[in-house]
Every structure is written in structure tokens, then in C-alpha cells.
Amino acid sequence: MENKTFYNEILIEHNQHPLHKHKLPDATLALEGVNPSCGDDIVLQLKLEGDKVVDGAFEGSGCAISQASADIMLDLIIGKTKTEALHLVDIFLRMIQGKATEEELEELEEAGVLSDISHMPARVKCAVLGWHTLEEMLTG
């Protein structure tokens, strides 16, 4: 029960007071991610210097899970290299499938609270929208 309360508090905080939900005027990369099944729509924006993500933001609308997940993701990847960010995407996506190890979950920091989404199939696409958009942006 305590874990669910913590999960809810983190999602509510990131949804109601997102640090990264704004336009990033000096973004070097931007990509729209859409979840047609529920209408979630984000535009992920990153500022890269060399191989490092030095800033990031997102705009758009959607459910609390999609918006909070994108905000949590940006908290985690800002300051990381593209390779490190893609490593975290891989762990997050495997976590959602129930395939990440405890050690890997620790690498996800706050994003690890979204592991319960794996038990809510209808919400999985919401949680992974930002992460899939980031992966496509950095590998495309």
C-alpha cells in the first residue's frame, strides 16, 4: 500500500507541477509522439551539445500518466549522453514488460515507480509514449 501511495504522489506532483513542460526555444531536436488509442500527444524537445543532453522539455496534452512519465524521463536524462539516455530507455521499456532487474530499476530512480503500469495494459502506451519518442529521436 505504501508503494502505491508513493507512486500516486510522484505521478500527481509531476502532472500538476511539471518542471519540463514548456517550449524549449533553443532545442536542437524535436519530435512529436502520439498515442492514437487515447489521444495523448507530446512534442519532445532536446538541446544537445555534442553527445550530451543539456536541456529538455515537452509540450502537449494527455492523461496524467503520459505527462508525468515524460517529465520524470526528462529529469532522468538531462545531463546524460545519448548513449546513457538510450540505455535508460531500454531499462524503462524492459521494466514495463516486467523484465528489468532490481539493479536496473535503481538506475531509473524516480521512473521506477511506474513499474506497476505493467499490470495495467490499457495504460502502458501512456507511460511509454515519451520514452518511445526519445528513443526514435536519438536513433532516427
Side-chain angles (χ1 to χ4, degrees):
M1 185 67 165
E2 182 181 315
N3 191 30
K4 277 218 183 303
T5 302
F6 185 59
Y7 159 85
N8 288 334
E9 286 174 5
I10 289 174
L11 280 184
I12 289 167
E13 181 63 27
H14 279 278
N15 188 51
Q16 292 181 346
H17 307 287
L19 294 174
H20 305 289
K21 190 171 184 178
H22 55 83
K23 184 161 183 60
L24 189 63
D26 57 350
T28 51
L29 293 173
L31 185 64
E32 183 177 26
V34 178
N35 179 357
S37 63
C38 70
D40 294 336
D41 185 353
I42 66 166
V43 176
L44 184 61
Q45 304 156 60
L46 296 179
K47 179 179 179 186
L48 298 177
E49 287 181 3
D51 196 37
K52 192 172 192 175
V53 178
V54 295
D55 202 1
F58 73 101
E59 295 180 291
S61 60
C63 70
I65 292 173
S66 72
Q67 302 296 288
S69 183
D71 198 55
I72 290 168
M73 176 192 73
L74 285 165
D75 267 355
L76 188 61
I77 66 149
I78 292 171
K80 304 278 194 289
T81 65
K82 287 169 48 173
T83 301
E84 291 167 333
L86 287 168
H87 171 71
L88 293 167
V89 169
D90 176 61
I91 293 172
F92 185 85
L93 296 176
R94 285 188 297 105
M95 173 191 75
I96 294 297
Q97 298 169 348
K99 297 178 181 174
T101 67
E102 285 299 316
E103 293 79 23
E104 289 173 325
L105 292 179
E106 287 178 21
E107 288 184 64
L108 291 178
E109 299 173 15
E110 224 177 26
V113 301
L114 291 164
S115 64
D116 283 348
I117 297 292
S118 63
H119 305 296
M120 299 178 248
R123 306 316 302 260
V124 166
K125 287 184 179 177
C126 306
V128 301
L129 177 61
W131 298 82
H132 277 304
T133 305
L134 174 65
E135 182 178 44
E136 186 178 339
M137 180 185 283
L138 295 180
T139 59

